[in-house]
Amino acid sequence: MAANYTTPLARAARIMEIVIPCYMFGKAWGIADAKTVDLFRAMFPAFLIDIAEFFKKIMQTDNANIQRFFSTMSGAIVGFVVVALLALVMHLVLRDRKYLDSLRFTSVSLIPIAVLNGTLSHAIKTLVENLGTQTADALYASTVSSSRGNILIDGTFYLTAMWMMGRRTGVSRGRRYGVIGVGIGFMVIYMALGLMISPGEWQALLPKLQQALANH
Amino acid sequence: MTITKQRFVTINKYALWAAIIVYLYGLFGTKIIQPGIFFAIAAGFFNLLHQKYFNARPRLAAHMWLIPAVIGAFTYPLLMEKQPSGQNAFYFILTLIISLIPYLLLVFGTTEEQPPKKERLKVISFRIFTQIAVFLIYAVFTAYSFIYGSNVALFFWGMFHVLTVAILPFLFGRVLCGWLCPNATLQDGLFKNMTYTRPIPKLPKAIEEQSHSTAMYLSGEVDKNAPYFPFTLLLSWFPMFFCETVFDLTGDLWYPIYFMYGLFIGSLLLPWRKMCTHFCWLSSYRGIAAHGSLWRIRYNKSKCKQCKVCQAEKACPFFIDICEQDNEMPATCCLCFSCMEACPFEGVITFKRAPEEKARVKAVGKAA
């Protein structure tokens, strides 16, 4: 049966199934601008934003549109590296397919977290747009409560997606628990590294935001 | 007049075309839309999507065309009171013509068609209702935004995005393509029944074979190396997504409109649903998420008689070889339930996995 899957387009499809989720997963880390970079550093693990900012510095242009493209690409590169590392662990758990297919399994199952990253970056955009119309505390409360809800929903979808994908690609029940374990571990590490704005970070950010608002 | 199957389709098809043209002219030209036109669109879709049922009951179908006429008559005085103009009267008369011609043709027509033996599945009736409702919401919100300069269409697209990206693919897979997409509704109701020779009547073999089991994912334990989605479908995501990112288009009203009309035009060039199967930029990224969906339509292989009634070209809009599947539909399935309705046997294509199929899948899993 597997021999049937070696048509040129089928092979290319497998590559795309890695590229698209990785791009969507990482792009939120690269889209910060000078005004919002501190918020992004608070919302996501700061070192991921810093790495994306480093790539952005390498890819500089005066054209705002192309710069936007470079920004998302720099985030996507970081996203790809994170997925590739996670896929290494997944590959050790799955042990029944090529690394390329473990990577594909990892990236496709990460789509809920890609959606989560996109939603959190959108929450930052909304927060910046609403600065000045609501009190700082109300803004923080609404951002944090909506982020918590999203993490809960998308985290659940992530775990169920991994379970279902495992079942659909012939992963034995025992190993599927292992796969779920990797997923839970990833979420715990992601959150421990600084997903979501903590009260301490907000207190540190507030003067800067108010200053920016006053300048605006 | 004898209402044959073909004549029934033709009457409804042309009336629906006329309603859509009047809607578009009102949208882009005069900025006036008679509310009855929305119901004319709904009536056309309703009759065409239920054509097998209404073929044998043209008088019942005719009454669907009374609704736009009644709505038009009720809203006309209100519109004239608000904005007295000859154009309102013109659109009212157009609405009456569009709805009363098919009404009269169908109500006085006779038929020799027999109603289908198999009853329509409730889930398909519900799908058709959802399809028409979403299409109407799309049409109304778009019209409101264009005519009154409001951003309400962006609200529609925002909600559409939330449902189709963040929630539904993880629960029901590619349900967007079967239940929600306005282009899909247009294709199922109208483009499917268009008899002209398509400018691209056949796709190259390399593209075509992607939708079949030779090169695509099968449900079951055999396919850990198989691609989940056609390459061309995934590729089509890139140009649109990059344009969206580079030019920051998400907040622009014209963008989703042109995005959707681009799909309409693409769908006119290709045979029915080929655009959705191979090139749709809306469903590509959303589609991959379907691979991890919680629920799929079940295919109980152990009960299948291999009669091939459900085979790709006959029933499935996404050209899935259902008999080749292992125990459920693949990620490309849009949950339209056409296969379930087409299957002449009980318990082959179902909502729940049959106990014997469950045992078989378990045994295969253990062996693996």
Side-chain angles (χ1 to χ4, degrees):
Chain A
M1 189 63 72
N4 288 334
Y5 301 133
T6 52
T7 62
L9 289 183
R11 242 179 282 163
R14 289 164 69 191
I15 302 297
M16 296 288 271
E17 282 161 359
I18 296 167
V19 172
I20 295 175
C22 285
Y23 179 88
M24 297 303 285
F25 177 63
K27 92 178 174 78
W29 301 333
I31 56 174
D33 55 26
K35 262 191 260 174
T36 55
V37 69
D38 288 326
L39 272 169
F40 272 84
R41 292 182 85 253
M43 182 63 98
F44 297 105
F47 76 97
L48 294 173
I49 307 296
D50 291 341
I51 300 171
E53 289 296 313
F54 169 75
F55 283 121
K56 256 196 291 192
K57 275 183 193 144
I58 297 172
M59 298 186 278
Q60 281 286 346
T61 169
D62 292 335
N63 185 309
N65 292 340
I66 297 174
Q67 188 57 51
R68 204 175 292 119
F69 171 69
F70 284 163
S71 300
T72 55
M73 281 310 291
S74 54
I77 293 168
V78 185
F80 182 78
V81 173
V82 172
V83 177
L85 289 173
L86 184 63
L88 267 179
V89 183
M90 201 65 91
H91 188 58
L92 292 175
V93 175
L94 289 169
R95 282 185 291 177
D96 64 345
R97 59 197 78 195
K98 292 176 192 163
Y99 174 72
L100 186 77
D101 287 314
S102 296
L103 179 59
R104 201 158 59 100
F105 182 99
T106 313
S107 63
V108 172
S109 62
L110 264 173
I111 291 177
I113 307 301
V115 172
L116 171 68
N117 286 349
T119 315
L120 293 182
S121 73
H122 190 77
I124 293 176
K125 201 177 159 191
T126 313
L127 191 149
V128 171
E129 276 169 9
N130 290 339
L131 265 178
T133 58
Q134 291 176 31
T135 64
D137 288 341
L139 269 179
Y140 175 69
S142 66
T143 308
V144 167
S145 61
S146 69
S147 305
R148 267 194 202 128
N150 285 319
I151 290 171
L152 199 67
I153 293 168
D154 290 318
T156 311
F157 283 148
Y158 173 48
L159 298 181
T160 54
M162 278 197 300
W163 182 264
M164 298 311 291
M165 281 190 66
R167 213 166 78 170
R168 284 172 183 146
T169 57
V171 179
S172 65
R173 201 180 177 86
R175 281 189 193 156
R176 259 183 275 154
Y177 285 116
V179 165
I180 293 287
V182 174
I184 292 172
F186 169 73
M187 281 305 288
V188 169
I189 293 169
Y190 193 29
M191 289 178 75
L193 287 173
L195 189 67
M196 240 171 48
I197 306 173
S198 66
E201 283 171 323
W202 181 250
Q203 288 309 321
L205 271 172
L206 203 52
K208 283 185 193 174
L209 288 172
Q210 282 166 338
Q211 185 62 46
L213 187 67
N215 293 343
H216 183 69
Chain B
M1 186 169 68
T2 310
I3 307 289
T4 58
K5 269 183 195 173
Q6 189 53 45
R7 209 166 269 168
F8 178 83
V9 169
T10 307
I11 292 167
N12 284 291
K13 184 172 77 176
Y14 285 117
L16 177 55
W17 263 124
I20 288 176
I21 289 166
V22 169
Y23 165 75
L24 289 177
Y25 184 65
L27 195 68
F28 295 109
T30 54
K31 307 263 179 204
I32 290 178
I33 293 174
Q34 156 63 239
I37 279 295
F38 294 117
F39 291 86
I41 292 172
F45 275 130
F46 193 79
N47 284 352
L48 285 169
L49 290 167
H50 283 300
Q51 55 176 280
K52 276 185 194 156
Y53 178 82
F54 282 126
N55 268 332
R57 302 168 177 90
R59 275 185 201 158
L60 192 60
H63 288 80
M64 290 307 298
W65 286 105
L66 268 187
I67 299 171
V70 171
I71 299 285
F74 269 112
T75 51
Y76 175 65
L78 297 171
L79 290 174
M80 284 302 274
E81 197 180 304
K82 205 175 170 188
Q83 193 186 14
S85 79
Q87 280 186 332
N88 270 330
F90 171 68
Y91 277 104
F92 172 58
I93 291 166
L94 268 183
T95 308
L96 282 187
I97 291 170
I98 287 170
S99 51
L100 290 182
I101 289 177
Y103 171 74
L104 293 172
L105 288 173
L106 293 172
V107 87
F108 291 114
T110 53
T111 185
E112 286 160 9
E113 300 292 335
Q114 293 300 312
K117 281 177 192 160
K118 200 172 176 184
E119 273 185 38
R120 171 125 276 188
L121 291 178
K122 280 194 181 108
V123 70
I124 293 195
S125 301
F126 182 51
R127 167 173 65 79
I128 290 171
F129 173 79
T130 312
Q131 277 186 287
I132 296 173
V134 175
F135 190 93
L136 284 192
I137 294 169
Y138 159 74
V140 169
F141 277 33
T142 305
Y144 193 86
S145 293
F146 262 66
I147 293 169
Y148 297 106
S150 143
N151 271 344
V152 73
L154 287 178
F155 174 75
F156 169 82
W157 286 111
M159 288 295 103
F160 191 81
H161 184 76
V162 168
L163 270 177
T164 60
V165 174
I167 298 170
L168 288 176
F170 309 117
L171 298 174
F172 304 116
R174 209 179 167 186
V175 69
L176 155 76
C177 309
W179 290 60
L180 301 174
C181 177
N183 181 41
T185 309
L186 209 61
Q187 287 213 50
D188 287 353
L190 212 49
F191 297 174
K192 189 182 183 181
N193 294 310
M194 280 159 61
T195 47
Y196 73 98
T197 310
R198 269 36 177 203
I200 307 168
K202 207 169 179 335
L203 295 169
K205 189 176 170 248
I207 296 175
E208 199 72 65
E209 71 179 3
Q210 294 181 97
S211 57
H212 291 74
S213 54
T214 48
M216 272 302 298
Y217 169 76
L218 295 168
S219 63
E221 51 78 44
V222 286
D223 51 7
K224 52 176 84 79
N225 301 318
Y228 309 134
F229 256 65
F231 168 72
T232 45
L233 192 71
L234 298 172
L235 188 71
S236 62
W237 169 82
F238 274 95
M240 289 311 291
F241 194 78
F242 280 124
C243 284
E244 190 179 300
T245 305
V246 169
F247 300 108
D248 199 15
L249 300 174
T250 44
D252 290 329
L253 177 62
W254 62 266
Y255 171 61
I257 310 284
Y258 282 54
F259 187 94
M260 191 47 76
Y261 283 104
L263 276 177
F264 291 160
I265 291 163
S267 310
L268 284 168
L269 303 178
L270 298 165
W272 175 60
R273 288 289 201 162
K274 287 286 178 188
M275 180 78 187
C276 311
T277 312
H278 295 292
F279 306 108
C280 174
W281 45 82
L282 193 64
S283 81
S284 47
Y285 167 64
R286 291 160 164 87
I288 323 180
H291 196 71
S293 66
L294 266 177
W295 184 81
R296 298 240 181 108
I297 297 174
R298 308 301 187 193
Y299 168 61
N300 298 304
K301 198 181 183 99
S302 44
K303 287 187 166 190
C304 181
K305 311 273 190 284
Q306 298 288 321
C307 68
K308 309 270 182 192
V309 169
C310 63
Q311 83 182 43
E313 280 74 13
K314 285 186 186 170
C316 178
F318 285 87
F319 310 96
I320 298 165
D321 277 337
I322 292 159
C323 295
E324 294 287 325
Q325 304 305 316
D326 187 74
N327 59 74
E328 59 183 5
M329 297 303 154
T332 43
C333 170
C334 71
L335 283 93
C336 69
F337 296 93
S338 306
C339 52
M340 195 186 272
E341 194 169 68
C343 181
F345 302 103
E346 284 296 317
V348 179
I349 300 170
T350 52
F351 291 97
K352 270 175 89 174
R353 199 168 276 143
E356 54 267 52
E357 185 66 16
K358 227 177 208 175
R360 187 186 72 78
V361 171
K362 209 172 179 180
V364 172
K366 266 186 185 168

